[in-house]
Amino acid sequence: MTSSISKTERFLRACRRQPVDRAPVWMMRQAGRYLAEYQAIRSRVSFIELCKSPDLAVEVSLQPLQLVGVEAVIMFSDILIPLEAMGAPIAFDDGGPRITEPLCSRGQVEALVVPDPEERMPFCFETIRRLRAELGGEVPLIGFAGAPYTLASYLVEGGSSKSYATIKAMLFSAPELAHALLAKLADTIAAYLQAAVAAGAQVVQLFDTWAGELAPEDYREFAFPYQQRVFAQLDQARAPAVLYVNGSCGILEMMAETGASVLSIDWRTDLAEARRRVGQRVALQGNVDPAVLLGTPEKIRAVTDETLRKGGSSGHILNLGHGILPSTPLANARLFCAAPTIFSEAQP
Amino acid sequence: MTSSISKTERFLRACRRQPVDRAPVWMMRQAGRYLAEYQAIRSRVSFIELCKSPDLAVEVSLQPLQLVGVEAVIMFSDILIPLEAMGAPIAFDDGGPRITEPLCSRGQVEALVVPDPEERMPFCFETIRRLRAELGGEVPLIGFAGAPYTLASYLVEGGSSKSYATIKAMLFSAPELAHALLAKLADTIAAYLQAAVAAGAQVVQLFDTWAGELAPEDYREFAFPYQQRVFAQLDQARAPAVLYVNGSCGILEMMAETGASVLSIDWRTDLAEARRRVGQRVALQGNVDPAVLLGTPEKIRAVTDETLRKGGSSGHILNLGHGILPSTPLANARLFCAAPTIFSEAQP
């Protein structure tokens, strides 16, 4: 079956749970270390230079479209960029971004500003404008940001963490300080995503990667209201919003009430079960284990086809359940992206 | 209300879902770094010496009973001890145990033996016999082991991991090799736990901590059958078996079919929801976020009381959802352990 709808139209229709000929596909962290072409650029410039140079950010954003066959382009950037614009103490070293002075006091929270996005992060919106011009509306452009809870974790832990003991100690012993921080982050991120849509992003994704580390009642208190606060400020008739949480099995029903149009879920929940639980309120994105792309072609095909079957004929965007692993062979990433086309052709 | 039943009787009745006056309580990793008395011993001997010296292992096993008020004693040991007995290349350095040569070939799997437990790990059973004599049947004694999937992950990854890419690459590209390894591990662990019960353990817990990293269908293929294979070889009329998986929300119904008497669950599933899902087939253990013990007394009390309420009047053992964090204040660990008594007195 040959389809005449554009990739953009298919993607946006899937986000809105309108019927489509087949699921669209892209991959989280799709511009990255598994691509030699990305590595070649990174060998010349630092990570932060790459984020802040629209020429280069556009180039690496487009690489997966040309090399892998994804059906949506996500702008290349980093979730910590808005934190830097807030005045948080971040250093972008060769080993990756680093909070030089983890946040622990009321004074540090009060010192953070809610920045004007275009003024403080012009390179982000320049990247979006150029990408949108390059894509010409044929392929959808995704903007993204970290969610308040995940950004707060980063600021308080000083980086990723095994047990998230430091941020949780704040939540459970100084909740009013945590709430002050989360509110400021929510307003920063809402303004940032509004500016991304104004610059040309047709979809936005909010990454609350670490919110799945919270017990359901703690998610309800510390993550959910700030996700809601971000989504309430976005015009989703213009650009649908996707919410990603890693380890979301215990909170799916709440996620469906945040105001997101699409829930992006990890591989530890069965996709058919997720659909049953959230009903018809939201579209679903996911949810193949990124490690499946380290397997045989037969394994990749079996898991992807089963995911497409469970995702159903509307309201499903094929994706990984987390970012693509750096060790993924390029051929396997290509096979994953080709699956919806192959699969739809195999259907009666 | 004063009760005349022993801690052992209460614990075993809870495991079997028989009515009890209140929930028993203990904590995973309860003998450990949050205790100054444990640190004092560790400053004199290495971790592996501690595991292999029944005198010292008995002493640290009993510390939480005396210092914290737990209502069950788990033997002090390490899940890697049976791997060493199988002939796996493990070094116990100061930084913790380490696989010196991660397993990747059929030859390495074939070289592993299924050891006679009493012959190769006599110190483990000597520790159990002495503990049982010390406790005199008044306080229940728990033996434990790592489950096949988690042990296989350790052997193949060479330690803990962020993405478990190496073990999963084996599962998804050389499944027959993985199955050969898992089968050998299952028979080793079954024999080890049988010997633990023969030596005096009244309950056994199987830790499949990392099985929650698998998609449900991969759990069904690579973890579930080997948990079943272990449980099928145990006499649970004599010693009930507990199954722990971290991040188990997506696989609870399958866990309830493994043959375990008790499911020990992490904090990311609501306990009442877990009970609804597994029905009356199994008892539940858990499921307070260990980081709650870094919070205020009010937070600890609120979460613990809610957990006891959701756990209900039979078939619940109060525990953390994962091991106690090293930074936990002793007073907070004590408060957690006192909660069932306080709570039951507050009931009408």
Side-chain angles (χ1 to χ4, degrees):
Chain A
M1 169 174 153
T2 310
S3 168
S4 61
I5 75 171
S6 73
K7 291 185 172 68
T8 302
E9 194 177 345
R10 182 184 292 117
F11 199 97
L12 292 174
R13 288 181 65 86
C15 289
R16 295 181 173 126
R17 309 216 68 231
Q18 295 162 345
V20 285
D21 54 338
R22 61 170 177 81
V25 59
W26 69 287
M27 297 186 299
M28 288 189 279
R29 226 180 287 157
Q30 65 190 11
R33 283 188 283 160
Y34 74 107
L35 287 175
E37 290 78 359
Y38 171 87
Q39 301 271 31
I41 292 178
R42 277 285 282 110
S43 71
R44 292 188 281 118
V45 299
S46 71
F47 180 78
I48 188 66
E49 281 177 273
L50 184 46
C51 290
K52 293 188 177 177
S53 310
D55 276 354
L56 296 173
V58 165
E59 186 177 347
V60 298
S61 300
L62 292 174
Q63 283 173 346
L65 185 67
Q66 297 146 353
L67 299 168
V68 191
V70 297
E71 301 184 321
V73 166
I74 186 164
M75 71 174 293
F76 188 85
S77 186
D78 191 82
I79 65 166
L80 301 186
I81 296 284
L83 296 185
E84 188 187 39
M86 293 177 83
I90 301 184
F92 290 88
D93 301 336
D94 264 8
R98 187 169 58 82
I99 308 295
T100 53
E101 199 180 340
L103 195 148
C104 60
S105 73
R106 177 161 295 279
Q108 286 172 299
V109 172
E110 285 171 357
L112 296 174
V113 298
V114 176
D116 178 275
E118 280 277 8
E119 186 182 304
R120 297 294 310 275
M121 297 167 275
F123 47 88
C124 289
F125 309 104
E126 180 60 21
T127 297
I128 291 174
R129 280 185 287 270
R130 292 198 203 176
L131 280 170
R132 181 65 187 273
E134 285 277 349
L135 297 171
E138 286 298 305
V139 175
L141 175 60
I142 306 172
F144 74 92
Y149 176 72
T150 292
L151 294 176
S153 296
Y154 219 110
L155 285 171
V156 171
E157 295 282 345
S160 67
S161 166
K162 198 173 166 188
S163 62
Y164 299 92
T166 314
I167 177 68
K168 288 182 177 179
M170 180 188 284
L171 302 183
F172 302 152
S173 66
E176 67 300 329
L177 180 59
H179 281 297
L181 173 60
L182 289 161
K184 217 168 223 185
L185 288 165
D187 292 338
T188 296
I189 293 310
Y192 175 84
L193 289 176
Q194 283 174 292
V197 172
Q202 292 151 298
V203 178
V204 293
Q205 180 155 334
L206 188 67
F207 286 87
D208 216 348
T209 310
W210 298 339
E213 292 291 326
L214 295 170
E217 289 307 311
D218 296 319
Y219 170 81
R220 187 191 301 280
E221 179 174 355
F222 296 108
F224 176 80
Y226 301 100
Q227 295 166 349
Q228 275 193 318
R229 186 161 165 165
V230 172
F231 293 135
Q233 295 177 59
L234 301 179
D235 177 5
Q236 291 193 56
R238 187 166 172 196
V242 184
L243 172 61
Y244 174 72
V245 174
N246 190 23
S248 59
C249 184
I251 54 169
L252 279 177
E253 288 85 355
M254 277 191 278
M255 286 173 69
E257 299 296 332
T258 55
S261 297
V262 185
L263 304 186
S264 186
I265 67 174
D266 64 285
W267 65 95
R268 286 158 295 186
T269 305
D270 179 86
L271 188 61
E273 176 68 12
R275 171 56 69 206
R276 196 193 57 70
R277 284 175 53 196
V278 301
Q280 304 304 316
R281 289 171 291 183
V282 290
L284 293 174
Q285 177 173 275
N287 69 340
V288 172
D289 184 348
V292 164
L293 300 195
L294 308 177
T296 59
E298 293 68 31
K299 175 73 180 179
I300 296 167
R301 179 70 189 267
V303 172
T304 306
D305 284 1
E306 186 68 7
T307 303
L308 286 164
R309 196 185 58 74
K310 288 179 176 172
S313 58
S314 70
H316 178 226
I317 299 160
L318 181 65
N319 204 320
L320 302 175
H322 199 1
I324 186 168
L325 294 165
S327 56
T328 303
L330 181 57
N332 291 357
R334 284 185 181 138
L335 178 58
F336 177 76
C337 292
T341 316
I342 301 168
F343 189 74
S344 68
E345 284 171 357
Q347 296 293 83
Chain B
M1 169 174 152
T2 311
S3 168
S4 60
I5 75 170
S6 74
K7 291 184 171 66
T8 301
E9 194 177 344
R10 181 183 294 117
F11 198 99
L12 291 174
R13 288 181 64 86
C15 289
R16 295 180 175 126
R17 310 216 67 231
Q18 295 160 344
V20 285
D21 55 338
R22 62 171 176 80
V25 58
W26 68 287
M27 297 185 299
M28 287 188 280
R29 226 179 287 154
Q30 64 189 13
R33 283 189 284 160
Y34 73 107
L35 288 175
E37 290 79 358
Y38 171 87
Q39 300 271 31
I41 292 178
R42 277 286 281 110
S43 70
R44 292 189 281 118
V45 299
S46 71
F47 180 78
I48 188 66
E49 280 177 274
L50 183 46
C51 291
K52 293 187 176 178
S53 309
D55 276 353
L56 295 173
V58 165
E59 186 177 345
V60 298
S61 300
L62 293 173
Q63 283 172 346
L65 186 67
Q66 296 147 352
L67 298 168
V68 191
V70 297
E71 301 185 321
V73 167
I74 187 164
M75 71 174 294
F76 188 86
S77 186
D78 191 83
I79 64 165
L80 301 186
I81 296 284
L83 296 185
E84 189 186 39
M86 292 177 83
I90 300 184
F92 290 88
D93 302 335
D94 264 8
R98 188 169 57 82
I99 307 295
T100 54
E101 199 180 342
L103 195 148
C104 60
S105 72
R106 177 160 297 276
Q108 285 172 299
V109 173
E110 284 171 358
L112 295 174
V113 298
V114 175
D116 178 275
E118 281 277 8
E119 187 181 303
R120 297 294 309 275
M121 298 167 274
F123 47 89
C124 289
F125 309 104
E126 181 60 21
T127 297
I128 291 174
R129 281 186 287 270
R130 291 198 202 175
L131 279 169
R132 182 65 187 272
E134 285 275 350
L135 297 171
E138 286 299 305
V139 174
L141 176 60
I142 306 171
F144 75 92
Y149 176 72
T150 292
L151 293 176
S153 296
Y154 219 111
L155 284 170
V156 172
E157 295 282 345
S160 66
S161 165
K162 198 173 166 189
S163 61
Y164 299 91
T166 315
I167 177 70
K168 286 182 177 179
M170 181 189 284
L171 302 183
F172 302 153
S173 67
E176 65 301 328
L177 180 58
H179 282 297
L181 173 60
L182 289 161
K184 218 169 221 185
L185 288 165
D187 292 338
T188 296
I189 293 309
Y192 175 83
L193 289 176
Q194 285 175 292
V197 171
Q202 292 151 298
V203 178
V204 293
Q205 179 154 335
L206 189 68
F207 286 88
D208 216 349
T209 310
W210 298 337
E213 293 292 326
L214 295 170
E217 289 307 312
D218 296 319
Y219 170 82
R220 187 191 301 279
E221 179 173 354
F222 296 108
F224 176 81
Y226 301 99
Q227 294 166 349
Q228 275 193 318
R229 186 161 165 166
V230 171
F231 292 135
Q233 295 178 60
L234 301 178
D235 176 4
Q236 291 193 56
R238 187 168 172 194
V242 184
L243 172 62
Y244 174 72
V245 173
N246 190 23
S248 59
C249 184
I251 54 171
L252 279 177
E253 288 85 355
M254 277 191 277
M255 286 173 70
E257 300 296 332
T258 54
S261 297
V262 185
L263 305 187
S264 186
I265 66 173
D266 65 284
W267 64 96
R268 286 158 294 185
T269 306
D270 179 86
L271 188 61
E273 176 67 12
R275 170 56 69 205
R276 194 191 61 68
R277 284 173 54 194
V278 301
Q280 304 304 315
R281 289 171 291 183
V282 289
L284 293 174
Q285 177 173 276
N287 70 339
V288 173
D289 183 348
V292 165
L293 269 50
L294 308 178
T296 59
E298 292 69 32
K299 176 73 180 179
I300 297 167
R301 179 69 187 268
V303 172
T304 307
D305 285 2
E306 186 67 8
T307 304
L308 287 165
R309 194 184 60 72
K310 288 178 176 171
S313 57
S314 70
H316 178 227
I317 298 161
L318 181 64
N319 204 319
L320 301 175
H322 199 1
I324 186 168
L325 294 165
S327 56
T328 304
L330 181 57
N332 291 357
R334 283 184 181 139
L335 178 58
F336 177 76
C337 292
T341 315
I342 299 169
F343 189 74
S344 68
E345 284 171 356
Q347 296 293 82

